[in-house]
Amino acid sequence: MSDHLAASPEPAPASADANSRPVPARSPALPSEAIPWDTIDGLVRWLDRESALPAEQERLLRVLKLSEEAGEVAQAVIGATGQNPRKGHSHTWDDVQAELCDVIVTAMVALRTLTPEARRVFEGHLRRIAGRVAGEAGARVAGEAGARVPDGGAGPS
């Protein structure tokens, strides 16, 4: 993914509070939750306009693009660790971070290409994962606490 594709939001104008002190605009470094998805929507619209392929083929290629991007992450990790004797340390961990971001953006574009409800689908999936992790952690903590109960409560006999 090229950096020139990412839309940078215009900073909001400063406003005043009840005491007429200026309130600084929202920092671009702290975007609202909607900004990434707004950017993804813009990228998908741009890609759709530029594509000469049938919609079904474009959809498949956007999903397959994830494999290419994941390969670039692997290449950057190999380069950052110097595991290719011919190339040596050809990448940095900053390169790995950038490639991981490309994977995330590419996955978001692929998801948005599959459904206009990409944000809702992603947030629902993330909540399910978080709930599963919280449930497992809660069960583990409860099991550990139960094992220490001296009065024969929930611990082993």
Side-chain angles (χ1 to χ4, degrees):
M1 284 269 135
S2 299
D3 291 336
H4 72 278
L5 298 180
S8 58
E10 293 294 320
S15 59
D17 66 14
N19 297 324
S20 298
R21 290 187 313 236
V23 176
R26 178 186 295 275
S27 168
L30 302 172
S32 76
E33 293 176 12
I35 290 175
W37 287 106
D38 292 343
T39 301
I40 295 303
D41 286 343
L43 289 171
V44 170
R45 283 191 303 273
W46 178 77
L47 289 167
D48 288 347
R49 273 194 318 271
E50 296 296 317
S51 178
L53 299 173
E56 183 67 19
Q57 188 176 2
E58 185 67 40
R59 183 177 324 146
L60 293 173
L61 290 172
R62 288 183 192 170
V63 173
L64 290 176
K65 177 81 171 153
L66 278 168
S67 293
E68 177 193 352
E69 296 296 341
E72 291 176 13
V73 172
Q75 181 180 17
V77 169
I78 289 167
T81 58
Q83 293 306 301
N84 183 334
R86 187 173 52 81
K87 294 182 180 179
H89 287 272
S90 59
H91 292 74
T92 66
W93 287 104
D94 286 342
D95 295 327
V96 175
Q97 292 173 16
E99 295 298 344
L100 285 168
C101 289
D102 284 350
V103 169
I104 293 165
V105 171
T106 302
M108 291 173 79
V109 165
L111 181 60
R112 176 57 186 83
T113 298
L114 295 176
T115 177
E117 298 295 323
R119 180 178 175 181
R120 182 188 55 76
V121 169
F122 178 76
E123 289 172 353
H125 191 75
L126 189 57
R127 276 192 297 277
R128 284 190 299 279
I129 292 169
R132 207 167 47 227
V133 170
E136 290 173 11
R140 189 172 29 255
V141 169
E144 291 169 1
R148 292 188 205 119
V149 177
D151 63 1
S157 341

